[in-house]
Amino acid sequence: MPEFINNIIAYYDTLLRALEFSRLGGLARSDVWLYPAANTLHVLGAALLVGAILVYDLRILRGREAPRTALVLSTIGLILLLVTGPTMFSAEATAIGHNPIFLLKIAVILAALINVLLYWLAGPVLPRLVRLHAFVSALLWTGALVLGRLIAYF
Ligand code: HEM
């Protein structure tokens, strides 16, 4: 393995250990309520984000106006997920950080966020691509949800 790859992996492992043994990691493992609350709000966040995005994307795919409410609900869902996800992750960062399903999930979330950016930047200029964005969005966000559930089984 090239030296720089080994260095990146070693640095990643240092970050995982720092997060797991941080105050947040300690609390997520020891506090009776923090992890269950984060897990519950994470599921609520996933339901809000993916549910609202599917409504939004299906409207776009049918060439109809997308409801603004879906945008608001999906944003609330994303914020919930981006707060509760790292909280749960900190409890077992060194283990989950090397879980292939978790790594694939993060890659899918990054691809979905890039697709959102391209939709907002290119959509007005290239309206013909809007349906493709909606289709890719529905696939990627649903994929993130499914992968999130599968983490515990791998
Ligand atoms: C943004 C889109 C995201 C979606 C749709 C999503 C979805 C999910 C779902 C559905 C679960 C299963 C929950 C359960 O059944 O208890 C889950 C678990 C989890 N997610 Fe996410 N998540 C997202 C973002 C994140 C992020 C950004 C992180 C961390 C950096 C994260 C970390 C986790 C962890 C650690 C678990 C628990 C795995 C376990 O069962 O041990 N998630 N996610």
Side-chain angles (χ1 to χ4, degrees):
M1 185 93 78
E3 186 57 24
F4 81 95
I5 302 277
N6 286 335
N7 292 342
I8 291 170
I9 293 171
Y11 183 65
Y12 179 60
D13 284 338
T14 309
L15 285 180
L16 293 178
R17 270 195 303 279
L19 180 58
E20 184 161 330
F21 299 108
S22 68
R23 198 166 138 61
L24 176 66
L27 271 177
R29 283 187 301 279
S30 63
D31 187 88
V32 178
W33 282 108
L34 182 56
Y35 195 97
N39 197 174
T40 306
L41 290 172
H42 202 69
V43 172
L44 176 65
L48 280 175
L49 174 77
V50 180
I53 280 185
L54 284 180
V55 169
Y56 193 95
D57 290 338
L58 289 173
R59 280 285 187 89
I60 300 275
L61 282 169
R62 294 170 62 197
R64 302 193 28 211
E65 176 89 15
R68 203 173 152 63
T69 321
L71 216 49
V72 174
L73 291 178
S74 58
T75 307
I76 294 170
L78 185 62
I79 293 167
L80 270 178
L81 286 158
L82 295 179
V83 171
T84 56
T87 304
M88 292 195 292
F89 181 66
S90 70
E92 305 169 76
T94 53
I96 298 180
H98 287 282
N99 180 318
I101 298 294
F102 173 78
L103 295 171
L104 182 58
K105 175 186 170 186
I106 296 300
V108 166
I109 293 168
L110 289 176
L113 290 172
I114 291 168
N115 186 49
V116 170
L117 199 63
L118 291 175
Y119 168 74
W120 289 111
L121 294 177
V125 193
L126 300 163
R128 288 177 54 202
L129 284 185
V130 162
R131 277 200 170 99
L132 178 63
H133 280 296
F135 181 71
V136 170
S137 161
L139 274 188
L140 290 176
W141 289 116
T142 308
L145 185 150
V146 171
L147 290 167
R149 183 53 266 180
L150 290 176
I151 292 171
Y153 300 99
F154 291 85

